PDB file of all heavy atoms in Angstrom:
ATOM      1  N   ILE Z 346      -1.426 -50.907  12.267  1.00  0.00           N
ATOM      2  CA  ILE Z 346      -1.204 -51.261  13.758  1.00  0.00           C
ATOM      3  C   ILE Z 346      -2.181 -52.268  14.154  1.00  0.00           C
ATOM      4  O   ILE Z 346      -1.792 -53.194  14.830  1.00  0.00           O
ATOM      5  CB  ILE Z 346      -1.276 -49.907  14.586  1.00  0.00           C
ATOM      6  CG1 ILE Z 346      -0.110 -48.923  14.184  1.00  0.00           C
ATOM      7  CG2 ILE Z 346      -1.222 -50.244  16.104  1.00  0.00           C
ATOM      8  CD1 ILE Z 346      -0.124 -47.641  14.822  1.00  0.00           C
ATOM      9  N   GLN Z 347      -3.436 -52.097  13.832  1.00  0.00           N
ATOM     10  CA  GLN Z 347      -4.472 -53.069  14.271  1.00  0.00           C
ATOM     11  C   GLN Z 347      -4.366 -54.435  13.650  1.00  0.00           C
ATOM     12  O   GLN Z 347      -4.547 -55.419  14.227  1.00  0.00           O
ATOM     13  CB  GLN Z 347      -5.858 -52.375  14.021  1.00  0.00           C
ATOM     14  CG  GLN Z 347      -6.102 -51.195  14.893  1.00  0.00           C
ATOM     15  CD  GLN Z 347      -7.558 -50.913  15.205  1.00  0.00           C
ATOM     16  OE1 GLN Z 347      -8.362 -51.464  14.412  1.00  0.00           O
ATOM     17  NE2 GLN Z 347      -7.721 -50.411  16.405  1.00  0.00           N
ATOM     18  N   SER Z 348      -3.906 -54.439  12.424  1.00  0.00           N
ATOM     19  CA  SER Z 348      -3.777 -55.658  11.725  1.00  0.00           C
ATOM     20  C   SER Z 348      -2.637 -56.489  12.395  1.00  0.00           C
ATOM     21  O   SER Z 348      -2.747 -57.691  12.495  1.00  0.00           O
ATOM     22  CB  SER Z 348      -3.429 -55.439  10.256  1.00  0.00           C
ATOM     23  OG  SER Z 348      -2.788 -56.516   9.757  1.00  0.00           O
ATOM     24  N   THR Z 349      -1.605 -55.737  12.689  1.00  0.00           N
ATOM     25  CA  THR Z 349      -0.506 -56.390  13.535  1.00  0.00           C
ATOM     26  C   THR Z 349      -1.085 -57.009  14.848  1.00  0.00           C
ATOM     27  O   THR Z 349      -0.703 -58.148  15.185  1.00  0.00           O
ATOM     28  CB  THR Z 349       0.682 -55.317  13.709  1.00  0.00           C
ATOM     29  OG1 THR Z 349       0.985 -54.830  12.535  1.00  0.00           O
ATOM     30  CG2 THR Z 349       1.884 -55.973  14.362  1.00  0.00           C
ATOM     31  N   GLU Z 350      -1.793 -56.198  15.602  1.00  0.00           N
ATOM     32  CA  GLU Z 350      -2.363 -56.652  16.805  1.00  0.00           C
ATOM     33  C   GLU Z 350      -3.313 -57.838  16.688  1.00  0.00           C
ATOM     34  O   GLU Z 350      -3.182 -58.755  17.379  1.00  0.00           O
ATOM     35  CB  GLU Z 350      -3.069 -55.497  17.483  1.00  0.00           C
ATOM     36  CG  GLU Z 350      -3.804 -55.713  18.825  1.00  0.00           C
ATOM     37  CD  GLU Z 350      -2.829 -55.851  20.017  1.00  0.00           C
ATOM     38  OE1 GLU Z 350      -1.891 -55.181  20.009  1.00  0.00           O
ATOM     39  OE2 GLU Z 350      -3.198 -56.663  20.912  1.00  0.00           O
ATOM     40  N   LYS Z 351      -4.224 -57.632  15.719  1.00  0.00           N
ATOM     41  CA  LYS Z 351      -5.393 -58.571  15.780  1.00  0.00           C
ATOM     42  C   LYS Z 351      -5.154 -59.805  14.844  1.00  0.00           C
ATOM     43  O   LYS Z 351      -5.722 -60.774  15.057  1.00  0.00           O
ATOM     44  CB  LYS Z 351      -6.590 -57.778  15.257  1.00  0.00           C
ATOM     45  CG  LYS Z 351      -7.038 -56.718  16.185  1.00  0.00           C
ATOM     46  CD  LYS Z 351      -8.462 -56.302  16.050  1.00  0.00           C
ATOM     47  CE  LYS Z 351      -8.845 -55.321  17.267  1.00  0.00           C
ATOM     48  NZ  LYS Z 351      -9.887 -54.415  16.930  1.00  0.00           N
ATOM     49  N   VAL Z 352      -4.300 -59.538  13.805  1.00  0.00           N
ATOM     50  CA  VAL Z 352      -4.094 -60.764  13.006  1.00  0.00           C
ATOM     51  C   VAL Z 352      -2.743 -61.496  13.258  1.00  0.00           C
ATOM     52  O   VAL Z 352      -2.814 -62.607  13.716  1.00  0.00           O
ATOM     53  CB  VAL Z 352      -4.193 -60.359  11.399  1.00  0.00           C
ATOM     54  CG1 VAL Z 352      -4.023 -61.576  10.612  1.00  0.00           C
ATOM     55  CG2 VAL Z 352      -5.521 -59.679  11.156  1.00  0.00           C
ATOM     56  N   ILE Z 353      -1.708 -60.660  13.104  1.00  0.00           N
ATOM     57  CA  ILE Z 353      -0.426 -61.328  13.184  1.00  0.00           C
ATOM     58  C   ILE Z 353       0.042 -61.645  14.578  1.00  0.00           C
ATOM     59  O   ILE Z 353       0.396 -62.915  14.853  1.00  0.00           O
ATOM     60  CB  ILE Z 353       0.660 -60.427  12.480  1.00  0.00           C
ATOM     61  CG1 ILE Z 353       0.266 -60.357  10.819  1.00  0.00           C
ATOM     62  CG2 ILE Z 353       1.976 -61.005  12.647  1.00  0.00           C
ATOM     63  CD1 ILE Z 353       0.970 -59.298  10.183  1.00  0.00           C
ATOM     64  N   TYR Z 354      -0.179 -60.789  15.530  1.00  0.00           N
ATOM     65  CA  TYR Z 354       0.226 -61.086  16.930  1.00  0.00           C
ATOM     66  C   TYR Z 354      -0.707 -62.141  17.512  1.00  0.00           C
ATOM     67  O   TYR Z 354      -0.320 -63.078  18.168  1.00  0.00           O
ATOM     68  CB  TYR Z 354       0.137 -59.826  17.824  1.00  0.00           C
ATOM     69  CG  TYR Z 354       0.290 -60.119  19.258  1.00  0.00           C
ATOM     70  CD1 TYR Z 354       1.362 -60.620  19.717  1.00  0.00           C
ATOM     71  CD2 TYR Z 354      -0.844 -59.907  20.153  1.00  0.00           C
ATOM     72  CE1 TYR Z 354       1.616 -60.878  21.070  1.00  0.00           C
ATOM     73  CE2 TYR Z 354      -0.645 -60.217  21.534  1.00  0.00           C
ATOM     74  CZ  TYR Z 354       0.454 -60.657  22.024  1.00  0.00           C
ATOM     75  OH  TYR Z 354       0.623 -60.990  23.372  1.00  0.00           O
ATOM     76  N   GLU Z 355      -2.045 -62.172  17.173  1.00  0.00           N
ATOM     77  CA  GLU Z 355      -2.927 -63.164  17.682  1.00  0.00           C
ATOM     78  C   GLU Z 355      -2.521 -64.502  17.139  1.00  0.00           C
ATOM     79  O   GLU Z 355      -2.556 -65.462  17.875  1.00  0.00           O
ATOM     80  CB  GLU Z 355      -4.399 -62.822  17.211  1.00  0.00           C
ATOM     81  CG  GLU Z 355      -5.205 -62.040  18.196  1.00  0.00           C
ATOM     82  CD  GLU Z 355      -5.174 -62.534  19.632  1.00  0.00           C
ATOM     83  OE1 GLU Z 355      -5.521 -63.704  19.840  1.00  0.00           O
ATOM     84  OE2 GLU Z 355      -4.554 -61.779  20.460  1.00  0.00           O
ATOM     85  N   ARG Z 356      -2.177 -64.564  15.840  1.00  0.00           N
ATOM     86  CA  ARG Z 356      -1.704 -65.879  15.253  1.00  0.00           C
ATOM     87  C   ARG Z 356      -0.538 -66.361  16.051  1.00  0.00           C
ATOM     88  O   ARG Z 356      -0.406 -67.543  16.421  1.00  0.00           O
ATOM     89  CB  ARG Z 356      -1.402 -65.738  13.789  1.00  0.00           C
ATOM     90  CG  ARG Z 356      -1.182 -66.922  13.044  1.00  0.00           C
ATOM     91  CD  ARG Z 356      -1.249 -66.790  11.569  1.00  0.00           C
ATOM     92  NE  ARG Z 356      -0.255 -65.698  11.096  1.00  0.00           N
ATOM     93  CZ  ARG Z 356      -0.463 -65.031  10.030  1.00  0.00           C
ATOM     94  NH1 ARG Z 356      -1.484 -65.220   9.280  1.00  0.00           N
ATOM     95  NH2 ARG Z 356       0.439 -64.049   9.653  1.00  0.00           N
ATOM     96  N   TYR Z 357       0.413 -65.467  16.299  1.00  0.00           N
ATOM     97  CA  TYR Z 357       1.670 -65.841  16.939  1.00  0.00           C
ATOM     98  C   TYR Z 357       1.455 -66.417  18.409  1.00  0.00           C
ATOM     99  O   TYR Z 357       1.799 -67.405  18.818  1.00  0.00           O
ATOM    100  CB  TYR Z 357       2.578 -64.619  17.060  1.00  0.00           C
ATOM    101  CG  TYR Z 357       3.932 -64.904  17.845  1.00  0.00           C
ATOM    102  CD1 TYR Z 357       4.958 -65.577  17.260  1.00  0.00           C
ATOM    103  CD2 TYR Z 357       4.033 -64.682  19.213  1.00  0.00           C
ATOM    104  CE1 TYR Z 357       6.070 -65.943  18.009  1.00  0.00           C
ATOM    105  CE2 TYR Z 357       5.202 -64.947  19.930  1.00  0.00           C
ATOM    106  CZ  TYR Z 357       6.105 -65.554  19.300  1.00  0.00           C
ATOM    107  OH  TYR Z 357       7.299 -65.890  20.025  1.00  0.00           O
ATOM    108  N   ARG Z 358       0.485 -65.563  19.113  1.00  0.00           N
ATOM    109  CA  ARG Z 358       0.085 -65.947  20.505  1.00  0.00           C
ATOM    110  C   ARG Z 358      -0.550 -67.298  20.514  1.00  0.00           C
ATOM    111  O   ARG Z 358      -0.146 -68.145  21.384  1.00  0.00           O
ATOM    112  CB  ARG Z 358      -0.840 -64.774  21.013  1.00  0.00           C
ATOM    113  CG  ARG Z 358      -1.089 -64.934  22.457  1.00  0.00           C
ATOM    114  CD  ARG Z 358      -2.036 -63.715  22.931  1.00  0.00           C
ATOM    115  NE  ARG Z 358      -2.601 -64.007  24.236  1.00  0.00           N
ATOM    116  CZ  ARG Z 358      -3.603 -64.720  24.497  1.00  0.00           C
ATOM    117  NH1 ARG Z 358      -4.248 -65.257  23.438  1.00  0.00           N
ATOM    118  NH2 ARG Z 358      -4.032 -65.042  25.667  1.00  0.00           N
ATOM    119  N   GLN Z 359      -1.482 -67.529  19.645  1.00  0.00           N
ATOM    120  CA  GLN Z 359      -2.165 -68.768  19.536  1.00  0.00           C
ATOM    121  C   GLN Z 359      -1.251 -69.985  19.320  1.00  0.00           C
ATOM    122  O   GLN Z 359      -1.216 -70.898  20.116  1.00  0.00           O
ATOM    123  CB  GLN Z 359      -3.280 -68.716  18.507  1.00  0.00           C
ATOM    124  CG  GLN Z 359      -4.395 -69.487  18.790  1.00  0.00           C
ATOM    125  CD  GLN Z 359      -5.490 -69.370  17.713  1.00  0.00           C
ATOM    126  OE1 GLN Z 359      -5.569 -68.194  16.982  1.00  0.00           O
ATOM    127  NE2 GLN Z 359      -6.258 -70.320  17.404  1.00  0.00           N
ATOM    128  N   GLU Z 360      -0.521 -69.785  18.351  1.00  0.00           N
ATOM    129  CA  GLU Z 360       0.507 -70.794  17.904  1.00  0.00           C
ATOM    130  C   GLU Z 360       1.434 -71.211  19.168  1.00  0.00           C
ATOM    131  O   GLU Z 360       1.708 -72.346  19.470  1.00  0.00           O
ATOM    132  CB  GLU Z 360       1.338 -70.359  16.837  1.00  0.00           C
ATOM    133  CG  GLU Z 360       1.798 -71.437  15.837  1.00  0.00           C
ATOM    134  CD  GLU Z 360       2.488 -70.840  14.707  1.00  0.00           C
ATOM    135  OE1 GLU Z 360       3.690 -70.430  14.811  1.00  0.00           O
ATOM    136  OE2 GLU Z 360       1.926 -70.519  13.651  1.00  0.00           O
TER     137      GLU Z 360
END
Side-chain angles (χ1 to χ4, degrees):
Chain Z
I346 295 172
Q347 292 213 332
S348 150
T349 305
E350 172 80 32
K351 294 198 174 151
V352 182
I353 292 164
Y354 171 66
E355 268 311 301
R356 189 166 55 206
Y357 177 83
R358 189 177 166 277
Q359 206 174 336
E360 211 175 84

